[in-house]
Amino acid sequence: MIHSADIREWRNRDVIDPKGRKIGALEAVYVDTTTDAPAMATVRTGLPTRHRLVFVPLDEATLGPGYVKVAHGRGLVRKAPSMGMDDVLPVEREEEVFKHYERPYERGTGSGRRLARR
C-alpha cells in the first residue's frame, strides 16, 4: 500500500504488473474522499505524442526500488477508463473506473466525488 507521505516520491516511477511488465509511469495518486487513503493512481501510457492517463487501484500495490507494482495485469490496466493528460476525471465517470475493476462504488460525501487527486 502506498502511504500518503510516499505520494510525491513515487510520481513518474515505473508502474509494473504482477509479472513485472511495465504498464507506464505513475502520474498522480487519487485518495478516497471518505477515508483519505490512497485508492487509485493514474498511469501515463501510450506513445510519446499520444499519452493518456489510465486508472489503476492501489489497494494491493507494493513499492520497490524505482517502481510501483500493482495487483492488476497490464492488459486490464491499459483497457481501463482513460483521460487526456490535461483532463480532470468528471464525477460522472468515477463509477466507470470502479466497475472496470469490479469494485463496489458509492458516491463520496459533500461534492459527491469519491476520488480526489493528491
Side-chain angles (χ1 to χ4, degrees):
M1 170 61 80
I2 295 178
H3 299 286
S4 296
D6 299 329
I7 291 172
R8 288 191 183 103
E9 180 181 337
W10 291 100
R11 191 164 186 256
N12 294 316
R13 299 294 180 160
D14 288 344
V15 176
I16 62 173
D17 74 359
K19 294 182 179 179
R21 297 177 298 182
K22 183 177 176 181
I23 299 169
L26 191 132
E27 178 68 22
V29 173
Y30 286 72
V31 297
D32 185 318
T33 58
T34 59
T35 65
D36 205 34
M40 298 267 182
T42 50
V43 179
R44 187 173 56 244
T45 63
L47 301 171
T49 58
R50 300 178 93 189
H51 280 146
R52 64 190 180 101
L53 299 174
V54 295
F55 285 84
V56 63
L58 292 174
D59 56 343
E60 297 177 39
T62 57
L63 304 175
Y67 66 84
V68 177
K69 183 185 284 187
V70 295
H72 302 280
R74 180 172 64 180
L76 180 65
V77 176
R78 287 188 173 173
K79 292 178 184 174
S82 65
M83 61 186 184
M85 293 295 294
D86 296 324
D87 293 343
V88 175
L89 179 69
V91 69
E92 299 83 25
R93 291 198 60 213
E94 286 185 348
E95 185 173 6
E96 182 183 345
V97 174
F98 281 79
K99 283 187 175 188
H100 178 76
Y101 292 102
E102 299 178 356
R103 307 284 168 128
Y105 176 77
E106 292 180 20
R107 291 189 75 120
T109 57
S111 68
R113 194 168 276 287
R114 175 78 183 268
L115 299 173
R117 185 179 172 154
R118 288 282 191 257

